[in-house]
Amino acid sequence: MFTLTQFPLPYATDALMPYISQETLETHHGKHVATYIENLNKLIANTPYESVSLMDIIKKSATTPGQEKIFNNAAQIYNHNFFFDGMCPKCTTQIPNEIIEQFGSAENFKEQFKAQATALFGSGYTWLVRDGDNKLKIVNMANADTPIVHNMKPILTLDVWEHAYYLDYKNKRADFVDKFLDNLVNWDFVAENLKQ
Ligand code: MN
């Protein structure tokens, strides 16, 4: 039987301070993500989904009518894992060349990413993806939607659900986006994703 367990954070819950507080990280990872995992394990119990991978659960439930709950919980687990892996304390500030080349400069990339992240209405994620045409694109996806069901390769994501920043930034999402881009992005993780 397939039972999904909580994935560990790649750093301590106080490691991203002062940009993300320990309370936010403990709530976000320890409560929100834990709930998605608990929900998914209940939803797939005694179904064919029990014997497949998380990736396959996401892909199959995305195209099967009536399985939105399974999709939402499974995709949220994947999206959060990707978001948390995309940050680190005291990371390199070296933005990969491909990003600089495609967006013109590091500043342009950050500006475009911020414009998307602040424009996203409601809950969702801003993603840097490699699209089918091999180009890098910054796209917004609502709620639990995820690039892996749109034939896009995820490179980096920012969770802009209110639970991701409200304790620390209140309504100032733009400030959260700035801190993320300037101080939190794990550019080594991004570079690895660009290679594959
Ligand atoms: Mn979240």
Side-chain angles (χ1 to χ4, degrees):
M1 177 179 154
F2 176 91
T3 305
L4 201 71
T5 51
Q6 176 70 299
F7 57 85
L9 279 175
Y11 33 73
T13 52
D14 62 356
L16 303 183
M17 289 171 67
Y19 313 113
I20 295 180
S21 67
Q22 185 168 11
E23 188 186 8
T24 291
L25 216 44
E26 282 176 355
T27 310
H28 201 172
H29 177 261
K31 301 272 197 294
H32 286 277
V33 178
T35 302
Y36 295 127
I37 292 171
E38 204 183 311
N39 288 344
L40 184 67
N41 281 327
K42 278 187 200 155
L43 286 164
I44 65 171
N46 305 313
T47 75
Y49 285 113
E50 266 188 333
S51 51
V52 300
S53 68
L54 179 67
M55 204 63 106
D56 287 339
I57 294 174
I58 294 168
K59 288 179 178 164
K60 190 168 191 298
S61 62
T63 54
T64 311
Q67 300 196 335
E68 291 80 9
K69 273 190 194 164
I70 290 178
F71 173 79
N72 284 338
N73 283 281
Q76 278 295 66
I77 296 164
Y78 175 85
N79 292 346
H80 278 99
N81 199 357
F82 204 88
F83 169 57
F84 290 130
D85 280 351
M87 297 187 288
C88 56
K90 302 182 180 72
C91 311
T92 171
T93 52
Q94 189 63 50
I95 298 184
N97 280 338
E98 188 182 353
I99 292 179
I100 293 171
E101 281 161 18
Q102 203 172 310
F103 292 90
S105 67
E107 288 65 38
N108 281 354
F109 166 73
K110 287 181 180 180
E111 221 169 85
Q112 287 181 39
F113 195 98
K114 184 182 178 182
Q116 288 276 17
T118 50
L120 194 154
F121 188 78
S123 295
Y125 298 77
T126 299
W127 294 87
L128 174 65
V129 299
R130 192 186 293 287
D131 206 350
D133 58 6
N134 216 30
K135 290 257 164 56
L136 298 177
K137 290 177 187 160
I138 301 166
V139 294
N140 282 341
M141 293 193 177
N143 301 316
D145 199 9
T146 187
I148 60 176
V149 297
H150 298 285
N151 294 318
M152 294 171 178
K153 182 179 172 14
I155 307 292
L156 176 72
T157 194
L158 174 60
D159 183 346
V160 292
W161 283 57
E162 285 186 347
H163 67 227
Y165 63 89
Y166 223 80
L167 287 172
D168 301 328
Y169 297 89
K170 300 291 189 293
N171 58 319
K172 297 193 170 78
R173 189 194 286 178
D175 290 354
F176 172 54
V177 179
D178 280 337
K179 299 296 185 206
F180 171 78
L181 290 169
D182 289 338
N183 303 284
L184 293 173
V185 175
N186 183 343
W187 296 110
D188 291 332
F189 171 80
V190 170
E192 274 307 305
N193 293 332
L194 287 169
K195 265 188 229 164
Q196 295 160 14

